[in-house]
């Protein structure tokens, strides 16, 4: 888009999903403020719009579905698997040293560590340089 500004995000982003997750579409990162009294908490959501032309048939289909639906018999994905998953997809799959940055919308909140009060917030289109995937069990073990 002519008016967009993609902000590089240098922090390590971590995704936490089940071992059989098919779509890795959100992650988190955090950073303390220099004074140690507050911290920025960032929630990153995969941004498939970077690969889907506006008002295209695929855009219309995704808008109608709005989300992936999980059923006992399987799932009905919002986006085709080839677009949503794997290297070159629009998800937040783990990066390696030579991997391309992952496109995301990042919702950030600066919070007071002693009270939890919201001090500041921002939303940005970001390019995530480092994404690490964890399972729930691996996250619990940290």
């Amino acid at each position: 888009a002519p008016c967009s500004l993609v902000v590089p995000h240098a922090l390590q982003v971590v995704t936490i999903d089940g071992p059989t997750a098919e779509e890795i579409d959100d992650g988190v990162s955090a950073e303390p403020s220099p004074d140690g009294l507050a911290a920025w908490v960032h929630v990153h959501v995969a941004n498939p719009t970077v690969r889907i032309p506006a008002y295209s048939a695929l855009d219309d289909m995704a808008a109608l579905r709005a989300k992936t639906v999980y059923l006992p018999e399987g799932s009905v994905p919002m986006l085709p698997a080839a677009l949503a998953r794997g290297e070159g997809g629009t998800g937040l799959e783990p990066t390696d040293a030579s991997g391309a940055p992952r496109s995301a919308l990042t919702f950030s909140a600066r919070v007071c560590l002693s009270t939890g009060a919201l001090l500041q917030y921002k939303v940005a289109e970001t390019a995530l340089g480092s994404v690490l995937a964890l399972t729930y069990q691996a996250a619990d073990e940290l």
Side-chain angles (χ1 to χ4, degrees):
C3 295
S4 69
L5 174 64
V6 177
V7 178
H9 187 81
L11 297 176
Q12 173 73 66
V13 175
V14 176
T15 65
I16 304 172
D17 289 284
T20 61
E22 295 180 3
E23 295 178 356
I24 310 298
D25 57 6
D26 54 22
V28 296
S29 61
E31 58 186 311
S33 61
D35 62 13
L37 300 175
W40 278 101
V41 178
H42 310 282
V43 177
H44 312 278
V45 180
N47 182 9
T49 64
V50 298
R51 302 255 318 270
I52 300 173
Y55 309 109
S56 66
L58 184 56
D59 185 36
D60 292 344
M61 179 195 71
L64 285 172
R65 290 187 181 177
K67 62 184 175 186
T68 296
V69 177
Y70 295 94
L71 304 167
E73 302 81 26
S75 63
V76 178
M78 181 176 80
L79 298 173
L83 184 62
R85 303 179 198 142
E87 190 63 36
T90 61
L92 298 185
E93 277 75 15
T95 54
D96 60 27
S98 62
R102 304 297 186 236
S103 296
L105 295 176
T106 297
F107 302 84
S108 302
R110 186 169 161 258
V111 295
C112 176
L113 294 176
S114 63
T115 66
L118 177 63
L119 304 173
Q120 191 177 358
Y121 64 90
K122 57 186 174 182
V123 178
E125 187 175 350
T126 54
L128 309 179
S130 180
V131 179
L132 172 69
L134 295 177
T135 62
Y136 295 116
Q137 181 178 347
D140 284 344
E141 292 172 1
L142 290 179

